[in-house]
């Protein structure tokens, strides 16, 4: 049964739970807030399907493409660009699939502020997927929904982290007619439980309910990473030590899913027909591209990816790049675990979130942040 998979390696991709013909596998949250398969032995008929689709037990990447071409890309609509994390390539691709009569799958906040994969058949609903949410998204039952759409002859654009895309491909097997997969260059997915803690922390500090969150708004510039919490009553919370905590937790890799540190997708063999990301280093390669507004990196990995890109090129501002000029760390190797990850979790379990934060960033981190900001202004 699938429980032989080492939890340190399991991606939580849901392929095993989605494929089980007896519904014997449920995804259950562990104490770090990540979901893992749990098997009801009495329902299992030992058919072996779950093991057959698992990317950990079958190491070679399902349908790989090695990068064929790379582009810097920027959407020509200022409004789209403002609401996208990079250059808006996701919106260009999803508009194209809608024009083809298709549907889009991607990650959005639900009403409880949980990030989950949803299906969109309209641009309005798709807009909720815009913007990176730096946390592991809840996949729920979407693999089965994708299968249903494909079996009805619809085109489907699925976007997600490489492990989610690979999980979907393995679950679907040969039934991929009409499917377009887009993966992200991915540095890692942090714990949904710790994000919930950060949201509660903000609500406690502001004494207001959090109703939306932007992980990397472009209000200041694409190059400035700050976060904005949108609160009830039209209030906002940003530009202080408490509001910018999540990006620090993320970059410090304090609570990534353990599998991110041995990720088999951190290389140039891509599982998406196209890969989208931030075009880091664009100023070095094309200094006048206009990077303040955000730039996407688009990697074209398969023949299908090439066909789509050929159709879309006339509609976008682009610049072809040598793939070697835009290599990011996650295209070379998995992110390394933070040496103090265990200490963070131990303190969190014993004394809670605020104590864990203080133990890592120091008791006076808010004061230090203020002083640093003042010094920058001088
Ligand atoms: C967890 C994570 C790690 C990332 N790491 C890197 C990195 O190391 N380097 C890099 O260059 N880029 C990284 N990205 C990608 C980058 O932040 C942008 O999401 C990407 O360039 C798309 O930008 P856009 O302007 O085309 O689309 P946007 O309009 O901003 O759309 C965002 C896209 O990301 C998807 N998405 C958002 N949140 C999640 C999530 N939690 N899980 C799965 N899919 C999600 C949406 O479905 C949508 O397709 C990461 C994204 C995520 C979510
Ligand atoms: S072996 Fe078959 S029945 Fe048992 S859990 Fe796996 S998929 Fe389900
Ligand atoms: S990696 Fe995916 S298929 Fe394998 S055990 Fe984990 S959730 Fe199941
Ligand atoms: S780093 Fe790898 S394992 Fe972690 S979320 Fe990204 S693709 Fe999945």
């Amino acid at each position: 049964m699938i429980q032989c998979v080492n939890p340190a390696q399991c991606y939580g991709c849901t392929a095993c739970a989605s494929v089980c013909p007896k519904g014997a596998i449920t995804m259950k949250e562990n104490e770090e807030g990540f979901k893992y398969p749990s098997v009801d032995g009495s329902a299992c008929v030992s058919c072996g399907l779950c093991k057959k689709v698992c990317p950990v037990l079958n190491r070679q990447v399902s349908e790989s493409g090695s990068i064929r071409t790379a582009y810097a890309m920027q959407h020509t609509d200022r409004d789209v660009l403002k609401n996208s994390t990079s250059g808006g390539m996701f919106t260009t691709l999803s508009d194209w699939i809608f024009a083809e009569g298709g549907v889009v799958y991607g990650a959005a906040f639900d009403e409880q502020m949980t990030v989950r994969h949803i299906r969109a058949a309209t641009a309005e609903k798709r807009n909720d997927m815009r913007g990176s949410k730096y946390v592991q998204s809840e996949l729920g039952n979407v693999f089965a929904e994708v299968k249903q759409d494909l079996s009805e002859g619809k085109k489907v654009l699925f976007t997600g982290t490489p492990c989610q895309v690979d999980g979907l491909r393995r679950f679907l097997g040969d039934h991929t007619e009409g499917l377009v997969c887009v993966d992200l260059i991915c540095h890692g997915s942090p714990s949904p439980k710790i994000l919930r803690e950060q949201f509660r922390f903000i609500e406690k500090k502001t004494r207001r309910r959090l109703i939306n969150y932007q992980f990397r708004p472009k209000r200041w510039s694409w190059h400035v990473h700050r976060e904005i919490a949108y609160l009830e009553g039209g209030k906002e919370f940003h530009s202080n030590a408490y509001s910018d905590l999540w990006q620090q937790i993320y970059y410090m890799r304090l609570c990534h899913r353990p599998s991110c540190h041995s990720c088999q997708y951190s290389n140039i063999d891509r599982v998406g027909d196209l890969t989208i990301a931030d075009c880091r280093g664009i100023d070095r390669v094309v200094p006048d591209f206009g990077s303040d507004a955000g730039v996407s990196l688009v990697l074209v990995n398969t023949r299908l990816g090439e066909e789509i890109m050929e159709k879309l090129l006339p509609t976008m501002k682009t610049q072809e790049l040598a793939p070697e000029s835009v290599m990011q760390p996650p295209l070379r190797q998995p992110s390394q675990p933070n040496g103090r990850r265990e200490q963070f979790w131990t303190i969190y379990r014993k004394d809670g979130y605020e104590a864990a934060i203080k133990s890592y960033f120091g008791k006076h981190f808010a004061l230090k942040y203020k002083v640093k900001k003042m010094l920058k202004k001088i």
Side-chain angles (χ1 to χ4, degrees):
M1 272 191 289
I2 200 66
Q3 264 153 336
C4 64
V5 173
N6 179 352
Q9 293 180 326
C10 168
Y11 301 111
C13 72
T14 74
C16 55
S18 305
V19 83
C20 176
K22 296 291 168 190
I25 306 178
T26 43
M27 299 298 292
K28 290 207 172 131
E29 189 173 298
N30 76 352
E31 60 166 7
E32 290 191 353
F34 296 109
K35 292 208 167 167
Y36 290 86
S38 162
V39 182
D40 172 1
S42 65
C44 171
V45 291
S46 302
C47 66
L49 279 175
C50 49
K51 282 171 134 181
K52 214 170 137 198
V53 296
C54 176
V56 177
L57 299 176
N58 307 279
R59 291 298 284 187
Q60 81 279 26
V61 168
S62 59
E63 176 141 341
S64 64
S66 225
I67 303 168
R68 299 175 181 209
T69 337
Y71 292 92
M73 174 275 174
Q74 198 173 57
H75 206 286
T76 50
D77 182 319
R78 299 317 279 177
D79 225 44
V80 172
L81 201 48
K82 194 176 115 207
N83 291 305
S84 308
T85 302
S86 311
M89 188 60 193
F90 166 65
T91 296
T92 296
L93 288 165
S94 43
D95 280 340
W96 166 76
I97 207 100
F98 289 146
E100 298 274 313
V103 295
V104 182
Y105 286 82
F109 279 116
D110 68 10
E111 282 178 2
Q112 283 71 45
M113 293 297 293
T114 298
V115 175
R116 60 177 71 249
H117 261 67
I118 59 164
R119 173 185 188 274
T122 62
E124 195 188 357
K125 196 159 181 198
R126 176 280 316 275
N127 292 349
D128 292 342
M129 299 172 186
R130 280 193 188 138
S132 300
K133 292 103 191 156
Y134 295 116
V135 69
Q136 182 157 46
S137 78
E138 164 75 56
L139 284 170
N141 206 28
V142 293
F143 286 7
E145 288 180 49
V146 171
K147 191 173 181 183
Q148 181 64 28
D149 278 328
L150 294 174
S151 71
E152 288 169 12
K154 289 201 180 77
K155 282 198 175 174
V156 171
L157 172 71
F158 183 88
T159 61
T161 58
C163 57
Q164 292 172 332
V165 170
D166 194 29
L168 174 68
R169 282 198 190 278
R170 287 169 190 272
F171 161 71
L172 291 172
D174 295 332
H175 308 286
T176 54
E177 179 75 35
L179 178 70
V180 179
C181 287
V182 172
D183 69 347
L184 307 161
I185 293 184
C186 181
H187 164 271
S189 282
S191 158
K193 187 174 187 177
I194 297 297
L195 182 62
R196 286 199 295 272
E197 292 283 8
Q198 171 63 8
F199 285 173
R200 261 185 239 137
F201 179 60
I202 290 174
E203 289 182 330
K204 190 176 140 198
K205 281 260 163 241
T206 59
R207 299 208 196 123
R208 282 177 190 266
R209 199 166 70 85
L210 183 83
I211 52 171
N212 204 355
Y213 198 81
Q214 272 188 302
F215 290 78
R216 260 178 70 201
K218 290 179 180 163
R219 187 176 295 181
W220 296 275
S221 148
W222 181 53
H223 299 285
V224 176
H225 188 156
R226 276 192 203 147
E227 292 152 81
I228 304 180
Y230 296 91
L231 306 162
E232 229 170 20
K235 300 276 180 205
E236 291 179 0
F237 185 65
H238 60 76
S239 306
N240 61 62
Y242 303 113
S243 67
D244 285 342
L245 260 178
W246 188 253
Q247 54 141 317
Q248 300 205 45
I249 291 172
Y250 179 58
Y251 289 129
M252 294 299 161
R253 310 167 312 280
L254 273 180
C255 62
H256 277 14
R257 189 175 178 106
S259 59
C260 296
H261 303 305
S262 58
C263 173
Q264 67 172 322
Y265 308 100
S266 299
N267 53 54
I268 56 167
D269 292 326
R270 309 306 299 172
V271 286
D273 297 296
L274 297 159
T275 298
I276 57 175
D278 290 306
C279 197
R280 302 231 167 102
I282 181 68
D283 290 329
R284 211 177 350 95
V285 192
V286 193
D288 54 357
F289 200 83
S291 69
D292 258 6
V295 185
S296 286
L297 171 66
V298 185
L299 305 177
V300 184
N301 312 315
T302 63
R303 181 69 207 126
L304 177 60
E306 274 177 342
E307 283 167 16
I308 296 167
M309 205 57 190
E310 269 162 32
K311 281 188 201 148
L312 295 178
L313 270 176
T315 68
M316 319 179 274
K317 175 181 167 187
T318 51
Q319 168 79 50
E320 192 170 340
L321 304 168
E324 329 61 90
S325 68
V326 283
M327 288 294 285
Q328 291 190 26
L331 291 175
R332 297 180 203 277
Q333 59 180 30
S335 61
Q336 295 305 301
N338 186 309
R340 289 169 63 192
R341 186 184 191 282
E342 277 323 303
Q343 183 195 351
F344 175 85
W345 280 102
T346 307
I347 297 174
Y348 169 69
R349 279 189 286 264
K350 191 166 155 275
D351 297 319
Y353 180 65
E354 288 181 46
I357 290 302
K358 282 184 185 153
S359 82
Y360 185 79
F361 294 105
K363 246 191 200 157
H364 305 294
F365 75 94
L367 183 67
K368 275 194 223 150
Y369 185 98
K370 237 185 204 165
V371 173
K372 239 188 189 169
K373 234 176 126 187
M374 275 160 55
L375 288 174
K376 260 193 196 162
K377 279 190 188 155
I378 296 170

